[in-house]
């Protein structure tokens, strides 16, 4: 018995000794993204060993039987930057949690925009940029349009505020305004069927907030065939879905301007294969320019819920947008020097970078409405989109290699656009000596609140762009059926859309002093001192434009577009793709122009000078619109994988873009589609190179574009813009990391010229040779949780108009940011936009100046310096 007990004791002692000598432990933890949400499927390994694990649905991993020692723990996942951390095991289990950053430049990032089958960037034969929220924050954007400035090939003139931006691509012209050849999408469907509707551009109805998981921007290529009216580019804002639980609350406010904004978002699984996401923002403030009143007031809410099945999913989503945002139109400025070498300077009492012609003395506009009734509008509404959208997306894998996908959405859209447009900038003396003043018997000018206006004082005759967006409702549906045959994928698609364009131009004219600080209204008197205007109101209509523009549209645009796409994996490294699309459009409705009447608008029993010619809508004599159009688009591409992380591609495409309201001016036969200049076309060729490095990536695309444009009406110049264009150039985009330092950037060189008409051989207006951006950032702290950096955005000189006389100087805008993390979930940031308050002019109404004298012209500069602070809590 004693011997048995002794043997047991000796065995226990040996085992205990062995365990102490050959101790083995485990390393476990959770892998999360920058929002704190767990990431499943991450590959976690101990380098120089055969041990590793893959994270589960909750982002957790465990590596067992690890001997004592020091190891390098490596975490890798497609679309995220690889993370390596040193871990020491010393006789006890170790917890090692890892946070991974999304890598928008990864060649493995899967793209869904402009392709029929989701695929990685290295496999695709298109030029595409993917922007994650962290990348967007680093460029310190103040509006959605400012985000697009960092996309190579895209020229986003973001001087108009929250909307009303001019967006062009690869030397293809801005045309008459908006984003004619560039389509904005939300979750794969167009925001509006047309991007250049006057005063109703797509970006007015689009807001970036914390709901967005990424933005994908495809230039050229298959954009021609996988959506309508988008031959230049597609910019797609893709929403979060809540598949992994997490959310955030963020508050930001202006440090040197009046703005307060709160964002929130949250998503989570709520059942087996069932998850949701919701969020939005609300903001209020004066805005980044001194308006003298609360100019921004409103917000957005979005919600989606997804149910996954064994072979697919169904997603329901909705959006409510009700936002008032000030619309910035041209500012007065003075210019001396020559057309080739002009010197732009602020006029007295007006800071072109930081002030605006908006004033608390002009906040109401009264006149005749669309139906001839008295109506009043609020100028402080600015751009006021109201949008309620409901959509459904479904995707299912079927038997025998078939896949079905349908994405449909109905949007109830309406709103308004209200902002003062300066018809000219001149001295009071010059105005009184002009034909308009002498023809109306003006002898002197006086401020509304008292005192004569000196002859040398600068004034701005104003046309108030009071435009009501009565009905912009639309329905969009994209149906795709895909069949996989071994190495071949075939997709049959059908796109159906209906877009209403019902709006009224109800403009009035005023006299205003050229001041950026509570500009005063100005009245005109006759030679006997009798007042001829009413509280600065000169005329009920666009008096300074010859009473041209009171009008109303009520039109409907229906598009049917079947398309076919084929992808062929010819070899392991070579794939081809081709697509063709047939767009058939039907347009019906009517539009009406101005009619003049005598009307006692202010109900005082007397008919003033302005009330003798009151402009209304001539609904009794509408122009009937009833025509059809059709066109074919196609695209052919190839991609060759040189190495695992290196590829080249080539593509040729032809695409069209139809017009909407921009042609409802010219007195054409709107009953015959063959006689309507309703279509414009772009032919494009491109060759690209993609290369991934251990710590970075490089993308290069050479392009050629030929645009055949039949012209559209531009309200501010009262002209039909009609030119053909030709451009070629190269886009470069890349990133690189050195330990804690990262540099991202892009540059686009464009050689563009006008290929027809009186300006043949000239450079298209506002088209610089180079546009570029550079974003260096540095991470610091024990876990690299803090960061700071710069965002440099610039362009070289351009011409104000197609005549190529007045040069708009090149400029460089420097932005900066610093992010500091107090705890794992709580962080603060400070952003400075246009740090050096640089004057950057994106457009000019005047195309030339008189050399050797001071000229007063109208320009749209990018906003000046603004500094904001934000606090974000992630959970």
């Amino acid at each position: 018995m004693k011997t048995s007990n002794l043997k047991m004791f000796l065995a226990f002692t040996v085992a205990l000794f062995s365990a102490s000598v050959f101790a083995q432990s485990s390393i476990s933890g959770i892998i999360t993204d920058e929002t704190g949400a767990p990431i499943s499927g991450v590959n976690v390994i101990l380098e120089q060993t055969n041990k590793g694990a893959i994270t589960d649905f909750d982002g957790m991993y465990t590596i067992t039987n690890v001997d004592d020692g020091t190891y390098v723990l490596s975490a890798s996942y497609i679309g995220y930057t690889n993370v390596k951390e040193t871990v020491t095991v010393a006789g006890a289990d170790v917890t090692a949690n890892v946070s991974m950053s999304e890598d928008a430049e990864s060649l493995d990032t899967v793209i869904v925009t402009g392709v029929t089958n989701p695929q990685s960037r290295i496999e695709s034969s298109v030029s595409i940029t993917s922007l994650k929220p962290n990348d967007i924050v680093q460029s310190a954007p103040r509006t959605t349009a400012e985000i697009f400035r960092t996309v190579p090939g895209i020229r986003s003139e973001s001087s108009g505020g929250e909307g009303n931006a001019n967006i062009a691509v690869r030397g293809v012209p801005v045309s008459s305004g908006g984003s004619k050849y560039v389509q904005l999408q939300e979750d794969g469907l167009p925001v509006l069927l047309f991007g250049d509707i006057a005063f109703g551009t797509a970006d007015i109805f689009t807001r970036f907030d914390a709901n967005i998981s990424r933005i994908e921007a495809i230039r050229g290529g298959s954009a021609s065939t996988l959506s309508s009216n988008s031959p230049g580019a597609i910019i797609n804002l893709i929403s979060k879905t809540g598949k992994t639980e997490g959310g955030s609350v963020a508050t930001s406010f202006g440090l040197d301007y009046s703005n307060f904004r709160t964002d929130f978002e949250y998503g989570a699984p709520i059942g087996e294969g069932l998850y949701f996401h919701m969020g939005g923002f609300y903001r209020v403030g004066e805005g980044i320019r001194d308006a003298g009143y609360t100019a921004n007031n409103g917000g957005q809410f979005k919600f989606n819920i997804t149910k996954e099945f064994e072979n697919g999913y169904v997603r329901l989503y909705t959006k409510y947008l009700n936002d008032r945002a000030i619309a910035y139109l041209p500012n007065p400025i003075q210019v001396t020097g020559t057309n080739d070498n002009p010197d732009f300077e602020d006029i007295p009492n007006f800071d072109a970078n930081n002030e605006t012609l908006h004033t608390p003395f002009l906040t109401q506009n009264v006149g005749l409405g669309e139906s001839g009734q008295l109506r009043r509008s609020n100028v402080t509404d600015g751009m006021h989109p109201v949008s309620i959208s409901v959509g459904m997306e479904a995707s299912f894998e079927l038997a025998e290699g078939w896949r079905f996908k349908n994405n449909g959405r109905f949007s109830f859209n309406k709103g308004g656009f209200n902002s003062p447009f300066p018809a000219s900038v001149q001295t009071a003396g010059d105005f009184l000596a002009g034909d308009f003043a002498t023809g109306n018997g003006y002898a002197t000018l006086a401020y509304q609140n008292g005192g004569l206006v000196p002859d040398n004082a600068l004034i701005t005759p104003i046309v108030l762009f009071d435009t009501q967006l009565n009905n912009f409702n639309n329905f969009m549906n994209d149906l795709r059926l895909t069949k996989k045959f071994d190495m071949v994928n075939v997709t049959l698609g059908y796109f159906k859309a209906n877009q209403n364009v019902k709006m009224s131009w109800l403009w009035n004219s005023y006299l205003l002093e050229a001041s950026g600080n509570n500009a005063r209204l100005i009245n005109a008197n006759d030679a006997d001192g009798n007042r001829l205007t009413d509280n600065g109101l000169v005329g009920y209509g666009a008096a300074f434009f010859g009473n041209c523009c009171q009008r109303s549209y009520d039109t409907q645009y229906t598009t049917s577009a079947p398309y076919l796409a084929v992808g062929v994996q010819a070899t392991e490294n070579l794939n081809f793709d081709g697509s063709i699309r047939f767009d058939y459009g039907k347009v019906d409705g009517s539009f009406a122009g101005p009619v003049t009447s005598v009307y006692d608008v202010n109900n005082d029993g007397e008919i003033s000078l302005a009330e003798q010619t009151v402009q209304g809508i001539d609904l009794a004599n509408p122009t009937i619109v009833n025509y059809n159009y059709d066109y074919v688009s196609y695209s052919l591409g190839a991609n060759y994988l040189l190495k695992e992380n290196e590829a080249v591609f080539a593509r040729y495409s032809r695409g069209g873009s139809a017009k909407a309201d921009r042609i409802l001016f010219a007195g054409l036969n709107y009953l015959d589609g063959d006689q309507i200049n309703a279509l414009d076309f772009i032919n494009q060729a491109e060759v690209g190179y993609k290369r991934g490095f251990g710590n970075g990536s490089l993308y290069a695309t050479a392009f050629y574009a030929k645009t055949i444009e039949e012209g559209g009406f531009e309200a501010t110049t009262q002209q039909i813009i009609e030119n053909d264009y030709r451009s070629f150039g190269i886009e470069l985009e890349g990133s690189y990391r050195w330990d804690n330092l990262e540099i991202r950037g892009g540059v686009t060189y464009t050689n563009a010229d006008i290929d027809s008409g009186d300006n043949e051989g000239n450079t298209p207006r506002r088209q610089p040779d180079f546009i570029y951006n550079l974003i260096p950032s540095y991470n610091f702290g024990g876990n690299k949780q803090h960061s700071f950096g710069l965002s440099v955005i610039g362009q070289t000189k351009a011409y104000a108009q197609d005549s190529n006389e007045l040069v708009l100087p090149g400029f460089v805008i420097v932005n900066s940011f610093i992010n500091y993390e107090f705890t794992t979930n709580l962080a603060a940031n400070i952003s400075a936009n246009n740090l050096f308050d640089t004057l950057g002019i994106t457009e000019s109404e005047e195309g030339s100046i008189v050399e050797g004298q001071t000229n007063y012209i109208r320009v749209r500069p990018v906003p000046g310096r603004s500094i904001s602070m934000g606090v974000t809590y992630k959970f």
Side-chain angles (χ1 to χ4, degrees):
M1 185 71 177
K2 291 182 178 180
T3 302
S4 177
N5 290 337
L6 178 62
K7 289 180 179 179
M8 291 178 62
F9 173 77
L10 291 174
F12 176 77
T13 302
V14 170
L16 183 64
F17 176 78
S18 299
S20 64
V21 174
F22 304 104
Q24 290 187 324
S25 308
S26 66
I27 301 175
S28 62
I30 183 171
I31 310 294
T32 59
D33 63 15
E34 294 163 301
T35 69
I39 309 174
S40 61
V42 178
N43 189 31
V44 186
I45 63 171
L46 292 180
E47 292 190 353
Q48 298 179 334
T49 75
N50 61 353
K51 298 182 180 298
I54 297 176
T55 59
D56 61 17
F57 182 79
D58 296 316
M60 300 185 66
Y61 74 94
T62 300
I63 303 175
T64 59
N65 300 323
V66 181
D67 297 333
D68 287 355
T70 298
Y71 301 91
V72 174
L73 181 77
S74 175
S76 61
Y77 188 64
I78 291 176
Y80 287 78
T81 302
N82 291 353
V83 177
K84 295 184 179 182
E85 293 189 1
T86 301
V87 177
T88 299
V89 177
D93 293 343
V94 176
T95 298
N97 297 328
V98 176
S99 176
M100 302 184 70
S101 301
E102 291 181 296
D103 185 2
E105 302 300 328
S106 172
L107 288 169
D108 292 323
T109 299
V110 175
I111 60 172
V112 298
T113 303
V115 295
T116 53
N117 296 290
Q119 57 187 174
S120 67
R121 294 180 72 178
I122 192 66
E123 297 173 317
S124 63
S125 57
V126 294
S127 295
I128 191 164
T129 296
S130 181
L131 297 175
K132 303 290 186 179
N134 282 346
D135 303 318
I136 293 169
V137 169
Q138 288 182 348
S139 64
R142 293 165 292 196
T143 65
T144 303
E146 285 191 342
I147 297 172
F148 306 150
R149 299 183 305 184
T150 59
V151 178
I154 297 290
R155 179 164 56 91
S156 180
E157 298 176 353
S158 54
S159 52
E162 190 64 60
N164 193 35
N166 296 319
I167 305 174
V169 59
R170 291 181 171 177
V172 176
V174 169
S175 189
S176 46
S179 57
K180 176 175 177 55
Y181 301 104
V182 179
Q183 188 187 86
L184 299 187
Q185 294 186 347
E186 288 185 316
D187 296 315
L189 289 175
V191 176
L192 298 177
L193 186 59
F194 307 95
D196 66 335
I197 300 173
F199 307 105
T201 53
D203 62 328
I204 290 178
F205 289 90
T206 308
R207 296 289 185 273
F208 174 82
D209 61 15
N211 287 293
I212 302 302
S213 66
R214 69 186 186 277
I215 296 176
E216 292 183 350
I218 176 176
R219 286 89 65 194
S222 53
S224 298
T225 54
L226 294 183
S227 194
S228 295
N229 303 321
S230 58
I234 297 173
I235 301 176
N236 187 16
L237 282 69
I238 301 172
S239 300
K240 298 175 182 178
T241 62
K243 190 169 184 177
T244 57
E245 184 177 8
S248 64
V249 177
T251 296
S252 61
F253 50 90
L255 296 179
D256 59 349
Y257 67 103
S258 174
N259 181 71
F260 189 89
R261 171 169 168 155
T262 295
D263 287 71
F264 80 97
E265 54 94 14
Y266 177 70
I270 53 177
E272 184 68 27
L274 181 66
Y275 45 92
F276 78 98
H277 190 274
M278 66 177 182
F281 76 91
Y282 193 88
R283 55 90 185 276
V284 63
E286 185 177 6
I288 51 181
R289 296 183 182 272
D290 298 332
Y293 55 84
T294 299
N296 295 330
N297 191 355
Q300 174 175 263
F301 177 78
K302 297 174 73 175
F303 175 86
N304 66 65
I305 186 168
T306 304
K307 173 60 180 175
E308 289 187 348
F309 301 91
E310 184 178 349
N311 60 335
Y313 68 89
V314 173
R315 178 174 297 130
L316 302 177
Y317 55 93
T318 185
K319 178 183 84 170
Y320 175 67
L321 170 67
N322 190 337
D323 190 25
R324 293 171 173 84
I326 189 169
Y328 299 122
L329 293 177
N331 278 343
I333 204 167
Q334 66 183 33
V335 190
T336 56
T338 65
N339 281 294
D340 289 335
N341 188 24
D343 184 14
F344 290 81
E345 295 180 315
D346 290 336
I347 64 172
N349 304 315
F350 199 103
D351 182 344
N353 267 6
N354 299 292
E355 294 180 329
T356 173
L357 287 173
H358 294 81
T359 170
F361 294 112
L362 181 56
T363 59
Q364 302 291 322
N365 188 45
V366 179
L368 295 184
E370 177 183 356
S371 301
Q373 79 283 13
L374 275 177
R375 47 88 66 174
R376 182 179 69 175
S377 66
N378 197 331
V379 180
T380 63
D381 283 348
M383 293 176 286
H384 181 198
V386 178
S387 179
I388 302 173
S389 297
V390 178
M392 184 275 292
E393 179 180 334
S395 178
F396 288 95
E397 297 286 345
L398 307 179
E400 300 179 356
W402 288 92
R403 186 173 77 248
F404 163 86
K405 183 175 182 180
N406 190 80
N407 192 4
R409 184 186 65 219
F410 175 79
S411 295
F412 174 82
N413 298 320
K414 65 177 182 178
F417 184 103
N418 210 320
S419 187
F421 178 85
S424 64
V425 182
Q426 53 190 305
T427 65
D430 287 342
F431 174 77
L432 289 172
D435 292 340
F436 183 88
T438 56
N440 285 284
Y442 295 179
T444 60
L445 300 177
Y447 295 112
Q448 171 65 24
N449 58 355
L452 291 176
V453 179
D455 281 350
N456 64 347
L458 290 175
I459 68 170
T460 56
I462 290 293
V463 174
L464 188 66
F465 286 169
D466 186 348
T467 306
Q468 299 304 299
L469 312 179
N470 301 314
N471 182 343
F472 273 39
N473 297 356
N474 62 49
F475 170 75
M476 310 282 180
N477 194 88
D478 193 359
L479 170 65
R480 297 178 182 180
L481 190 61
T482 300
K483 169 67 174 175
K484 185 174 182 180
F485 304 90
D486 293 328
M487 309 302 290
V488 179
N489 278 305
V490 178
T491 297
L492 291 172
Y494 187 81
F495 175 78
K496 185 73 175 182
N498 181 268
Q499 176 72 61
N500 291 336
V501 179
K502 183 178 182 180
M503 62 177 168
S504 304
W505 298 17
L506 307 171
W507 300 357
N508 284 349
S509 301
Y510 298 83
L511 284 177
L512 192 69
E513 71 170 327
S515 172
N517 182 20
N518 297 338
R520 294 169 289 181
L521 291 167
I522 294 172
N523 285 310
N525 303 319
D526 65 15
D528 296 326
N530 299 310
R531 181 177 293 184
L532 300 178
T533 57
D534 303 317
N535 296 321
L537 185 139
V538 171
Y540 292 99
F544 299 120
F545 291 165
N547 286 326
C548 66
C549 296
Q550 239 59 354
R551 62 185 52 246
S552 179
Y553 305 99
D554 188 359
T555 49
Q556 298 80 41
Y557 298 80
T558 300
T559 295
S560 303
Y563 58 92
L564 169 68
V566 179
V568 180
Q569 189 72 44
T571 68
E572 184 178 355
N573 294 339
L574 177 65
N575 64 70
F576 296 95
D577 67 273
S579 49
I580 187 169
R581 183 185 190 95
F582 176 77
D583 275 84
Y584 173 80
K586 180 173 177 55
V587 185
D588 61 85
S590 64
F591 69 94
V595 63
T596 302
S597 64
V598 177
Y599 200 105
D600 184 11
V601 177
N602 60 11
N603 287 315
D604 65 354
E606 298 181 2
I607 300 298
S608 66
L609 178 63
E611 291 172 334
Q612 293 176 18
T613 54
V614 177
Q615 295 291 300
I617 307 297
D618 188 9
L619 295 179
N621 297 286
T623 299
I624 302 303
V625 178
N626 195 322
Y627 66 90
N628 303 326
Y629 64 84
D630 60 75
Y631 63 94
V632 175
S633 304
Y634 59 86
S635 184
L636 299 170
N639 189 84
Y640 185 74
L641 192 65
L642 301 171
K643 300 177 183 177
E644 182 181 0
N645 61 347
E646 186 177 10
V648 293
F649 70 93
R651 180 172 291 277
Y652 185 83
S653 59
R654 173 180 171 84
S657 181
K659 296 186 183 69
D661 62 300
R662 296 284 185 177
I663 57 173
L664 304 184
F665 284 85
L668 303 174
N669 182 0
Y670 295 102
L671 302 179
D672 187 347
D674 293 334
Q675 298 185 34
I676 301 294
N677 53 340
L679 299 173
D680 302 312
F681 293 94
I682 303 178
N683 295 327
Q684 298 179 80
E686 52 193 310
V687 178
Y689 173 78
K690 297 168 281 189
R691 173 70 186 273
F693 306 96
N695 294 318
S697 59
L698 174 67
Y699 306 89
T701 305
F703 60 84
Y704 170 83
K706 168 69 175 174
T707 305
I708 303 170
E709 188 173 87
E710 297 301 327
F713 182 80
E714 184 176 57
T716 56
T717 62
Q718 301 293 295
Q719 294 180 347
I720 300 293
I721 307 299
E722 182 172 358
N723 285 313
D724 294 340
Y725 304 87
R726 180 176 53 198
S727 65
F728 64 88
I730 187 170
E731 300 168 358
L732 296 175
E733 179 183 14
S735 67
Y736 202 80
R737 293 184 181 86
W738 295 270
D739 294 328
N740 295 335
L741 177 65
E742 178 184 7
I743 295 180
R744 296 188 296 113
V747 59
T748 303
Y749 167 73
T750 305
N751 185 318
D753 59 66
I754 300 171
D755 202 31
S756 67
D758 296 336
N759 295 309
E760 185 173 359
N762 288 354
T763 300
R765 60 179 182 166
R766 311 201 300 266
Q767 175 62 57
D769 287 345
F770 287 93
I771 56 175
Y772 52 88
N773 70 88
L774 182 68
I775 306 177
S777 61
Y778 184 82
N779 296 311
F780 64 99
N783 295 316
K784 302 180 182 180
Q785 71 272 33
H786 316 307
S787 64
F788 67 89
L790 298 174
S791 169
V792 180
I793 297 170
Q795 67 178 58
T796 55
K797 70 177 184 179
Y799 290 107
Q801 297 293 340
D802 291 340
S803 58
N804 284 190
E805 296 176 86
L806 179 61
V807 169
L808 302 180
F811 57 86
V812 179
I813 304 297
V814 179
N815 312 309
S816 63
F817 66 92
I818 180 168
N819 301 315
Y820 189 86
E821 190 174 288
F822 295 105
T823 68
T824 302
N825 298 326
L826 181 64
N829 68 83
I830 296 178
S831 297
N833 203 299
N834 198 353
L835 187 62
F836 300 110
D837 202 29
T838 300
L839 177 65
I841 298 174
T842 63
E843 63 179 274
S844 167
E845 297 301 315
E846 284 76 18
S848 64
I849 62 172
V850 179
E851 300 179 352
Q853 70 176 46
T854 300
N855 298 263
Y856 302 109
I857 68 172
R858 303 155 295 163
V859 301
R860 285 214 321 193
V862 298
R865 178 173 49 246
S866 63
I867 304 174
S868 63
M869 181 175 181
V871 178
T872 302
Y873 177 71
K874 298 177 180 179
F875 55 91

